[in-house]
Amino acid sequence: MDRPILELRGITKAFGPKVANRDVSLRILPGTVHAIVGENGAGKSTLMNMISGNLQPDSGDIVVDGETVVVADPQRADALGIGMVHQHFKLVPSLSVAANIFLGNEMSSAPGVLDRRAMDDRVAQLSTDLGLALDPRDRVQDLSVGERQRVEIVKALSHDTRLLILDEPTAVLTPSETDELFVVVRRLAAQGCAVVFISHKLGEVLAIADEITVIRDGEVVGSRAAEGLSQSDIASMMVGREVLLRVAHTPPTPGAEVLAVDDLSAIDQRGAVAVKNLSLRVRSGEIVGIAGVEGNGQSELAAAIAGMYRPPRGRIAIAGDEVTTASVAERRARGLAYIPEDRHEEGGAPALSIAENIAAGHLRPPIARRGWLSLGAVHDYAQRLIAKFDVRGARPDTPIGSLSGGNMQKVIIAREFESEPALLMVSQPTRGVDVGAMEFVHNSIVDLRDRGAGVLLFSADLNEVMSLSDRLLVMYRGEVVAEFTQETMTEIAVGLAMAGVPPTAEALRDAALERERVAAELEASGTRLVDASAEVAIVEEVATTSVVVPRTVAVETTPRSMSAVLSEFASHTFRSATQPVVAVLVALAIGAIVILAIGQNPVTAYVELFTSAWRTPFGIGSIIAMFVPLAIMAAGTIVSFRAGFFNIGGEGQLYFGAFFGAFAGFSFHGLPPVVHILLVLVFGATAGALWGLIPGFLTGFLKVDIVVITLLLSQVALLITSFLVTGPFADPTATLAGSPRVEASALLPVFSPAFGFAPDLLIAIGVAVLLGIVLHRTTWGLRVKELGERNRFADYIGTSSPRMAMQVMALSGAAAGLAGALFVIGPNGGRFLQAFSPGFAFLAITVALLARLNPWASLVAALFYATMMAGGTGIQAVGVPFPMISVLQGLIVIAITATFAVDLRRRRRSTKGASK
């Protein structure tokens, strides 16, 4: 068995600029357990996904049984005898065990007829052969986590699998279930199957592996036989320095109560009871751990305490104040800091920078004063925390989603630890964090405790929660079934409680006997049991109470010069403009082909289209008339889009603003011009804001689809204004359906009648600039961008999503209404006309997309579109029909949308690759 079953030769894989694997080579022999370890983001999962056909390498060879192969997809991997059990189970809960195992490869007794008996018999046979007790007729939803793990393994081995990849297989298992898994793994190896074992639990790695390969920063550091290695040896190879694997436990000094939970109940997403009449207490100066197999109510309990979930019954108090019905922001103000279980969906805003993610939790001086952000203070604060918490390869302006999972976790930990909380609630603090950072996190938690904070710790890592907790509560099916102190907790006792068995003297004796039996079986195969207490004992030999700070990375420590700031701004602007410019050029190239097809010269046509309007005063006036509403509406659209609300109803908001602005113009008499003009603008903006507020309320509080409701309300607004100007407010002297003429005192003064130059142009530019400043320099603008992440980060950080939805849609509607009012009293207005808009709302969306949702760039994009619209007369003069402009607009929309889709997919792939 000297020939490897699998060999990797020079495998390289990159996600954008992030290189996940670089020139990786390794050999896996049949009949062995080969462990692959490394820091989070080292490239372990990426490598395994290439072996299993879920990803393709950029270069290098995968060799199976001595032959170079291309593993194009998981089906090809199955055919080669490669199976993978993912960390997150891929099972259908409502189906039976047999149905899940043969899903996609069902047996049939006749065409289209399932042979359930044959599948059940095959599963029973596999279960017997592998020593994995399973009933093929059981529903997966009724199984324990350990039993689901067995289903995944049997599924992976049901296709003559000769190489089995186990990705973090013990993450959700009790100690006894882990022992049972190791028995199965050893049995498979004895039968000649090669097993690849990926885990961050170094004790387990040493207990089960024959050979260990360490990957650091995407490269293989080395492969060594497991025999003779220690956990410290592996950890040093992983991070390149010596580390302490566990902090020594020092006695607590409990003080006043900082958390009280009484008779709390919670319901999970399926409607089942997840937490049942639970009570607990946390005092300052102590760490209370919550142990239990995942899925026993820990997530629901944490969400209820954090304010992310409103429990149907129970009471919660923080630092003596009842907060059962309080918002997340109010709980944070009372001293709560929270590191959530899911960093991508709750803990971070992936598209925002590290600086913005950190600032979101510290909106107070010097970072923010009276609603305004100090960008310099934000940058410096983020820079300091990047260095302190060793966030590698990062700058303050780095999008947090581009970091590895471990480094993203460090940013979240930095933000929460720095808030000096009275109560720190931590859920899975070191999940996906490398062993070097783990050392820092554990010491930091103890340091916060010693400085007087109360800590509630949720962790699926039994070693972690046992070594850190002063008191340990075990949850099973939503209830606290056992409580331990440092003096009474043992791995066997805690493990029994996690399985729902009271740790009585008789149960402990039986468990010890069973553990001895399993140990003997494993020892016969060259494997030993994992002992959680051994890891703690290692640390006690080098006991220390000081916080161990990891190596720091080099970062800027001096203020950036103005030239550096301008250079960075110019570089960012150039990068942002590249894709839109290319998209426009592609659209124009396709348009040129269409123009050639109708027998005209595209060069002449485009020259006329983009220059003819600039040659005459009338043409320039037409450009300004188009530019003003486009610039204002595009800026408002950008705000709503950045918040994740696709306001497609700007046309209705525009019409309401135009009509009610006109109403103020013709209804009030004898007012001074300045007062009258302001009144018109206020009426228009208010009408648009109120019409935008409706979908904001329906979306924020009732979760109505924003696209559907804005489209519907837009049509309703157009019907209402049509009724008003053909009924109660009809002007019989008007040639088209329109309102009475506004008073002369309401009209804007015209600086240059020939060019149509009036204050509306200055107002439009001012509104766009102001909205840009609001979006980028205010705390409100930061909350808008938090909301635009479309995950739960905004709620987690204390931003009220429903209220923000109303505010954002009201502001977007106000901008559209203001644009309508300006059009009515501008050089080309005088009254409200039902057909005054050529589709400004649709064009504004296009402008916003062309500007890549950048308010400053939207001014340039609006000018481009206004020029193209005003050039219609010129293009007709050279024989190209006016509808060609609509064709070009459509092509630009398609090209811009395509670049957005490609860019979004690239960023998601880059983020996915970086987090592995």
Side-chain angles (χ1 to χ4, degrees):
M1 293 201 280
D2 291 333
R3 188 175 76 173
I5 186 174
L6 173 73
E7 187 174 1
L8 303 181
R9 298 174 180 170
I11 296 293
T12 296
K13 179 67 178 178
F15 297 90
K18 169 68 175 179
V19 179
N21 295 123
R22 180 182 289 105
D23 195 27
V24 172
S25 298
L26 60 86
R27 294 156 48 94
I28 297 173
L29 299 175
T32 63
V33 179
H34 194 122
I36 296 181
V37 298
E39 307 172 59
N40 189 266
K44 306 183 300 295
S45 295
T46 300
L47 193 63
M48 294 304 104
N49 277 313
M50 285 187 282
I51 296 172
S52 60
N54 292 296
L55 291 172
Q56 299 302 309
D58 297 332
S59 63
D61 295 320
I62 298 176
V63 181
V64 177
D65 292 330
E67 295 185 8
T68 301
V69 297
V70 175
V71 190
D73 50 46
Q75 289 72 30
R76 176 58 175 157
D78 288 342
L80 292 169
I82 300 171
M84 183 170 179
V85 177
H86 295 268
Q87 179 179 354
H88 302 290
F89 301 153
K90 298 179 180 294
L91 300 173
V92 181
S94 60
L95 297 182
S96 69
V97 169
N100 270 280
I101 288 173
F102 288 100
L103 190 62
N105 296 284
E106 293 83 357
M107 295 181 177
S108 57
S109 57
V113 180
L114 288 176
D115 192 342
R116 298 183 186 276
R117 182 183 295 277
M119 291 191 293
D120 288 349
D121 291 344
R122 176 59 176 158
V123 171
Q125 183 62 46
L126 285 169
S127 177
T128 300
D129 293 344
L130 297 171
L132 293 169
L134 286 173
D135 186 332
R137 293 175 293 276
D138 282 346
R139 299 280 177 186
V140 166
Q141 64 191 16
D142 299 325
L143 302 181
S144 69
V145 177
E147 289 170 328
R148 296 185 192 193
Q149 179 79 273
R150 296 177 200 168
V151 176
E152 283 280 17
I153 293 174
V154 172
K155 181 178 180 180
L157 294 170
S158 63
H159 308 294
D160 298 322
T161 300
R162 297 179 301 122
L163 172 65
L164 179 64
I165 302 170
L166 300 175
D167 189 3
E168 299 286 359
T170 63
V172 293
L173 301 184
T174 65
S176 61
E177 288 172 333
T178 298
D179 294 341
E180 292 173 2
L181 173 65
F182 280 11
V183 170
V184 173
V185 169
R186 268 297 155 201
R187 189 178 297 128
L188 289 172
Q191 295 171 358
C193 181
V195 179
V196 176
F197 187 88
I198 301 174
S199 178
H200 71 280
K201 299 179 181 180
L202 302 186
E204 292 181 357
V205 168
L206 285 173
I208 192 65
D210 299 305
E211 188 170 359
I212 300 172
T213 294
V214 177
I215 298 179
R216 187 199 309 159
D217 296 330
E219 300 182 50
V220 172
V221 176
S223 294
R224 294 175 59 181
E227 187 175 357
L229 288 179
S230 68
Q231 294 186 46
S232 296
D233 294 333
I234 303 173
S236 297
M237 292 175 68
M238 288 170 61
V239 301
R241 63 179 178 85
E242 292 186 5
V243 294
L244 296 177
L245 297 178
R246 284 290 182 270
V247 64
H249 196 96
T250 55
T253 55
E257 191 176 90
V258 294
L259 174 66
V261 178
D262 295 300
D263 296 322
L264 185 75
S265 293
I267 307 298
D268 65 17
Q269 294 179 341
R270 301 170 301 169
V273 176
V275 179
K276 188 187 304 178
N277 301 328
L278 183 145
S279 299
L280 63 84
R281 297 289 187 274
V282 178
R283 293 169 294 176
S284 64
E286 75 167 343
I287 300 172
V288 176
I290 303 289
V293 175
E294 290 190 59
N296 278 278
Q298 301 97 314
S299 297
E300 289 78 8
L301 173 61
I305 295 172
M308 300 284 287
Y309 165 78
R310 184 67 59 82
R313 59 171 296 180
R315 175 183 177 274
I316 302 170
I318 295 177
D321 297 322
E322 183 171 349
V323 295
T324 310
T325 59
S327 67
V328 173
E330 291 170 327
R331 297 176 198 224
R332 284 182 169 271
R334 285 174 168 82
L336 172 67
Y338 175 35
I339 299 171
E341 177 180 352
D342 193 328
R343 54 179 166 257
H344 290 282
E345 286 300 314
E346 290 186 14
L352 299 188
S353 69
I354 292 175
E356 289 171 318
N357 272 271
I358 290 174
H362 299 273
L363 296 178
R364 53 183 179 271
I367 287 177
R369 287 185 173 89
R370 298 177 180 176
W372 289 93
L373 290 173
S374 170
L375 298 186
V378 170
H379 179 276
D380 293 343
Y381 188 59
Q383 186 171 266
R384 181 171 66 82
L385 294 190
I386 286 171
K388 180 177 179 180
F389 286 81
D390 189 21
V391 184
R392 302 179 189 177
R395 294 159 41 106
D397 59 353
T398 301
I400 193 175
S402 68
L403 301 176
S404 70
N407 282 311
M408 186 175 182
Q409 182 81 336
K410 290 179 186 178
V411 174
I412 296 167
I413 289 171
R415 181 186 62 222
E416 299 303 309
F417 279 18
E418 289 295 301
S419 65
E420 295 294 331
L423 171 65
L424 173 67
M425 187 165 65
V426 190
S427 186
Q428 319 302 338
T430 58
R431 174 173 288 171
V433 173
D434 61 72
V435 292
M438 191 180 298
E439 170 194 6
F440 176 76
V441 171
H442 288 165
N443 280 285
S444 296
I445 290 174
V446 173
D447 182 60
L448 274 177
R449 181 204 69 173
D450 291 343
R451 286 189 278 129
V455 180
L456 182 61
L457 170 66
F458 297 83
S459 178
D461 187 331
L462 186 56
N463 297 333
E464 177 175 71
V465 76
M466 286 179 63
S467 64
L468 283 175
S469 300
D470 301 308
R471 289 190 293 123
L472 180 62
L473 309 178
V474 179
M475 284 186 68
Y476 179 74
R477 294 186 177 178
E479 298 180 273
V480 174
V481 296
E483 180 173 346
F484 301 92
T485 64
Q486 276 291 316
E487 291 73 29
T488 61
M489 69 177 74
T490 66
E491 184 182 354
I492 292 179
V494 175
L496 280 174
M498 289 171 65
V501 179
T504 62
E506 182 180 358
L508 288 170
R509 183 174 60 253
D510 292 343
L513 291 173
E514 174 63 16
R515 192 168 176 84
E516 289 176 6
R517 184 192 67 78
V518 173
E521 185 175 346
L522 288 173
E523 187 175 355
S525 62
T527 306
R528 61 183 175 83
L529 285 175
V530 183
D531 187 357
S533 61
E535 295 191 16
V536 181
I538 291 172
V539 179
E540 288 174 350
E541 295 176 7
V542 286
T544 176
T545 58
S546 62
V547 176
V548 181
V549 182
R551 70 170 181 84
T552 57
V553 293
V555 295
E556 304 171 58
T557 57
T558 57
R560 294 177 297 171
S561 65
M562 181 57 68
S563 61
V565 173
L566 293 176
S567 176
E568 182 179 320
F569 175 78
S571 176
H572 175 73
T573 302
F574 177 78
R575 291 195 305 269
S576 300
T578 301
Q579 282 191 335
V581 170
V582 170
V584 170
L585 292 176
V586 169
L588 293 178
I590 298 173
I593 296 173
V594 176
I595 294 172
L596 280 172
I598 61 177
Q600 300 298 326
N601 186 332
V603 175
T604 303
Y606 283 156
V607 168
E608 289 299 313
L609 179 65
F610 292 109
T611 66
S612 62
W614 290 98
R615 299 176 196 155
T616 64
F618 176 79
I620 294 174
S622 298
I623 292 173
I624 294 174
M626 293 290 177
F627 172 83
V628 169
L630 281 181
I632 297 175
M633 292 189 69
T637 299
I638 286 170
V639 172
S640 65
F641 276 34
R642 289 296 294 270
F645 299 123
F646 298 99
N647 180 14
I648 314 297
E651 197 78 0
Q653 296 151 16
L654 172 77
Y655 268 66
F656 255 36
F659 175 80
F660 285 100
F663 176 83
F666 64 70
S667 297
F668 294 94
H669 308 282
L671 296 176
V674 173
V675 174
H676 207 170
I677 290 171
L678 288 175
L679 192 64
V680 169
L681 298 181
V682 168
F683 264 59
T686 302
L690 292 175
W691 202 244
L693 197 63
I694 297 173
F697 172 81
L698 294 174
T699 296
F701 287 92
L702 303 181
K703 307 305 179 186
V704 176
D705 185 89
I706 188 69
V707 174
V708 173
I709 194 62
T710 51
L711 278 174
L712 176 63
L713 287 174
S714 184
Q715 293 303 309
V716 170
L718 265 63
L719 290 173
I720 291 175
T721 55
S722 177
F723 164 75
L724 292 174
V725 296
T726 56
F729 297 98
D731 184 356
T733 64
T735 56
L736 300 173
S739 70
R741 297 193 65 84
V742 302
E743 293 288 318
S745 58
L747 294 174
L748 290 173
V750 180
F751 302 143
S752 174
F755 289 92
F757 178 47
D760 59 343
L761 176 61
L762 303 178
I763 293 173
I765 295 173
V767 168
V769 170
L770 178 62
L771 290 182
I773 292 173
V774 167
L775 195 58
H776 293 291
R777 294 297 303 269
T778 68
T779 57
W780 188 86
L782 179 57
R783 293 190 181 100
V784 167
K785 290 184 282 188
E786 293 168 9
L787 212 61
E789 292 295 291
R790 307 306 291 170
N791 60 5
R792 301 195 69 197
F793 177 73
D795 295 323
Y796 153 80
I797 208 68
T799 297
S800 173
S801 295
R803 293 175 183 172
M804 284 298 297
M806 294 178 63
Q807 295 171 20
V808 166
M809 290 302 298
L811 179 61
S812 184
L818 179 65
L822 278 175
F823 197 90
V824 166
I825 62 175
N828 298 289
R831 69 167 83 233
F832 171 83
L833 294 174
Q834 183 62 29
F836 80 94
S837 171
F840 281 127
F842 170 78
L843 294 174
I845 292 173
T846 309
V847 168
L849 293 177
L850 184 60
R852 296 183 65 81
L853 304 186
N854 184 326
W856 326 112
S858 69
L859 292 172
V860 178
L863 184 61
F864 169 79
Y865 255 85
T867 299
M868 189 165 64
M869 294 293 293
T873 303
I875 200 172
Q876 290 180 84
V878 294
V880 178
F882 184 80
M884 187 63 206
I885 295 178
S886 298
V887 172
L888 289 173
Q889 290 175 358
L891 290 172
I892 291 173
V893 169
I894 293 171
I896 289 293
T897 305
T899 60
F900 255 77
V902 170
D903 187 52
L904 180 62
R905 183 176 180 181
R906 180 189 61 78
R907 284 190 284 112
R908 284 179 175 173
R909 289 185 63 190
S910 179
T911 299
K912 181 180 178 182
S915 65
K916 291 185 182 297

PDB file of all heavy atoms in Angstrom, residues 185-196:
ATOM      1  N   VAL A 185     -14.157   5.448  12.422  1.00  0.00           N
ATOM      2  CA  VAL A 185     -13.066   5.906  11.559  1.00  0.00           C
ATOM      3  C   VAL A 185     -11.935   4.872  11.552  1.00  0.00           C
ATOM      4  O   VAL A 185     -11.382   4.533  10.498  1.00  0.00           O
ATOM      5  CB  VAL A 185     -12.538   7.283  12.035  1.00  0.00           C
ATOM      6  CG1 VAL A 185     -11.241   7.640  11.326  1.00  0.00           C
ATOM      7  CG2 VAL A 185     -13.581   8.359  11.784  1.00  0.00           C
ATOM      8  N   ARG A 186     -11.597   4.350  12.726  1.00  0.00           N
ATOM      9  CA  ARG A 186     -10.529   3.356  12.789  1.00  0.00           C
ATOM     10  C   ARG A 186     -10.924   2.070  12.063  1.00  0.00           C
ATOM     11  O   ARG A 186     -10.100   1.431  11.416  1.00  0.00           O
ATOM     12  CB  ARG A 186     -10.186   3.059  14.243  1.00  0.00           C
ATOM     13  CG  ARG A 186      -9.081   3.927  14.769  1.00  0.00           C
ATOM     14  CD  ARG A 186      -7.798   3.659  14.003  1.00  0.00           C
ATOM     15  NE  ARG A 186      -6.901   4.805  14.054  1.00  0.00           N
ATOM     16  CZ  ARG A 186      -5.935   5.021  13.207  1.00  0.00           C
ATOM     17  NH1 ARG A 186      -5.760   4.232  12.170  1.00  0.00           N
ATOM     18  NH2 ARG A 186      -5.144   6.057  13.324  1.00  0.00           N
ATOM     19  N   ARG A 187     -12.195   1.690  12.167  1.00  0.00           N
ATOM     20  CA  ARG A 187     -12.664   0.506  11.472  1.00  0.00           C
ATOM     21  C   ARG A 187     -12.564   0.693   9.961  1.00  0.00           C
ATOM     22  O   ARG A 187     -12.176  -0.213   9.231  1.00  0.00           O
ATOM     23  CB  ARG A 187     -14.101   0.193  11.896  1.00  0.00           C
ATOM     24  CG  ARG A 187     -14.611  -1.162  11.390  1.00  0.00           C
ATOM     25  CD  ARG A 187     -16.015  -1.429  11.870  1.00  0.00           C
ATOM     26  NE  ARG A 187     -16.067  -1.523  13.328  1.00  0.00           N
ATOM     27  CZ  ARG A 187     -16.890  -0.833  14.092  1.00  0.00           C
ATOM     28  NH1 ARG A 187     -17.717   0.035  13.549  1.00  0.00           N
ATOM     29  NH2 ARG A 187     -16.877  -0.983  15.390  1.00  0.00           N
ATOM     30  N   LEU A 188     -12.908   1.883   9.478  1.00  0.00           N
ATOM     31  CA  LEU A 188     -12.803   2.172   8.047  1.00  0.00           C
ATOM     32  C   LEU A 188     -11.353   2.096   7.584  1.00  0.00           C
ATOM     33  O   LEU A 188     -11.046   1.536   6.520  1.00  0.00           O
ATOM     34  CB  LEU A 188     -13.367   3.568   7.750  1.00  0.00           C
ATOM     35  CG  LEU A 188     -14.887   3.738   7.859  1.00  0.00           C
ATOM     36  CD1 LEU A 188     -15.260   5.210   7.732  1.00  0.00           C
ATOM     37  CD2 LEU A 188     -15.590   2.926   6.779  1.00  0.00           C
ATOM     38  N   ALA A 189     -10.445   2.664   8.373  1.00  0.00           N
ATOM     39  CA  ALA A 189      -9.031   2.631   8.003  1.00  0.00           C
ATOM     40  C   ALA A 189      -8.525   1.194   7.957  1.00  0.00           C
ATOM     41  O   ALA A 189      -7.751   0.814   7.066  1.00  0.00           O
ATOM     42  CB  ALA A 189      -8.213   3.465   8.981  1.00  0.00           C
ATOM     43  N   ALA A 190      -8.984   0.375   8.902  1.00  0.00           N
ATOM     44  CA  ALA A 190      -8.552  -1.024   8.919  1.00  0.00           C
ATOM     45  C   ALA A 190      -9.038  -1.779   7.683  1.00  0.00           C
ATOM     46  O   ALA A 190      -8.413  -2.753   7.250  1.00  0.00           O
ATOM     47  CB  ALA A 190      -9.061  -1.697  10.193  1.00  0.00           C
ATOM     48  N   GLN A 191     -10.146  -1.321   7.106  1.00  0.00           N
ATOM     49  CA  GLN A 191     -10.683  -1.956   5.906  1.00  0.00           C
ATOM     50  C   GLN A 191     -10.035  -1.417   4.627  1.00  0.00           C
ATOM     51  O   GLN A 191     -10.424  -1.799   3.532  1.00  0.00           O
ATOM     52  CB  GLN A 191     -12.205  -1.741   5.847  1.00  0.00           C
ATOM     53  CG  GLN A 191     -12.962  -2.435   6.977  1.00  0.00           C
ATOM     54  CD  GLN A 191     -14.425  -2.032   7.040  1.00  0.00           C
ATOM     55  OE1 GLN A 191     -14.882  -1.195   6.257  1.00  0.00           O
ATOM     56  NE2 GLN A 191     -15.169  -2.629   7.971  1.00  0.00           N
ATOM     57  N   GLY A 192      -9.065  -0.505   4.771  1.00  0.00           N
ATOM     58  CA  GLY A 192      -8.342   0.004   3.620  1.00  0.00           C
ATOM     59  C   GLY A 192      -8.791   1.350   3.120  1.00  0.00           C
ATOM     60  O   GLY A 192      -8.220   1.897   2.162  1.00  0.00           O
ATOM     61  N   CYS A 193      -9.827   1.939   3.751  1.00  0.00           N
ATOM     62  CA  CYS A 193     -10.317   3.265   3.331  1.00  0.00           C
ATOM     63  C   CYS A 193      -9.376   4.345   3.874  1.00  0.00           C
ATOM     64  O   CYS A 193      -8.921   4.284   5.016  1.00  0.00           O
ATOM     65  CB  CYS A 193     -11.732   3.488   3.859  1.00  0.00           C
ATOM     66  SG  CYS A 193     -12.472   5.071   3.385  1.00  0.00           S
ATOM     67  N   ALA A 194      -9.064   5.323   3.049  1.00  0.00           N
ATOM     68  CA  ALA A 194      -8.285   6.476   3.505  1.00  0.00           C
ATOM     69  C   ALA A 194      -9.256   7.530   4.048  1.00  0.00           C
ATOM     70  O   ALA A 194     -10.295   7.793   3.440  1.00  0.00           O
ATOM     71  CB  ALA A 194      -7.466   7.061   2.367  1.00  0.00           C
ATOM     72  N   VAL A 195      -8.927   8.099   5.199  1.00  0.00           N
ATOM     73  CA  VAL A 195      -9.789   9.103   5.825  1.00  0.00           C
ATOM     74  C   VAL A 195      -9.005  10.398   5.985  1.00  0.00           C
ATOM     75  O   VAL A 195      -7.914  10.406   6.570  1.00  0.00           O
ATOM     76  CB  VAL A 195     -10.302   8.620   7.197  1.00  0.00           C
ATOM     77  CG1 VAL A 195     -11.187   9.691   7.831  1.00  0.00           C
ATOM     78  CG2 VAL A 195     -11.066   7.311   7.067  1.00  0.00           C
ATOM     79  N   VAL A 196      -9.549  11.477   5.441  1.00  0.00           N
ATOM     80  CA  VAL A 196      -8.984  12.808   5.648  1.00  0.00           C
ATOM     81  C   VAL A 196      -9.787  13.474   6.759  1.00  0.00           C
ATOM     82  O   VAL A 196     -11.009  13.633   6.652  1.00  0.00           O
ATOM     83  CB  VAL A 196      -9.032  13.655   4.362  1.00  0.00           C
ATOM     84  CG1 VAL A 196      -8.523  15.067   4.641  1.00  0.00           C
ATOM     85  CG2 VAL A 196      -8.217  13.008   3.264  1.00  0.00           C
TER      86      VAL A 196
END
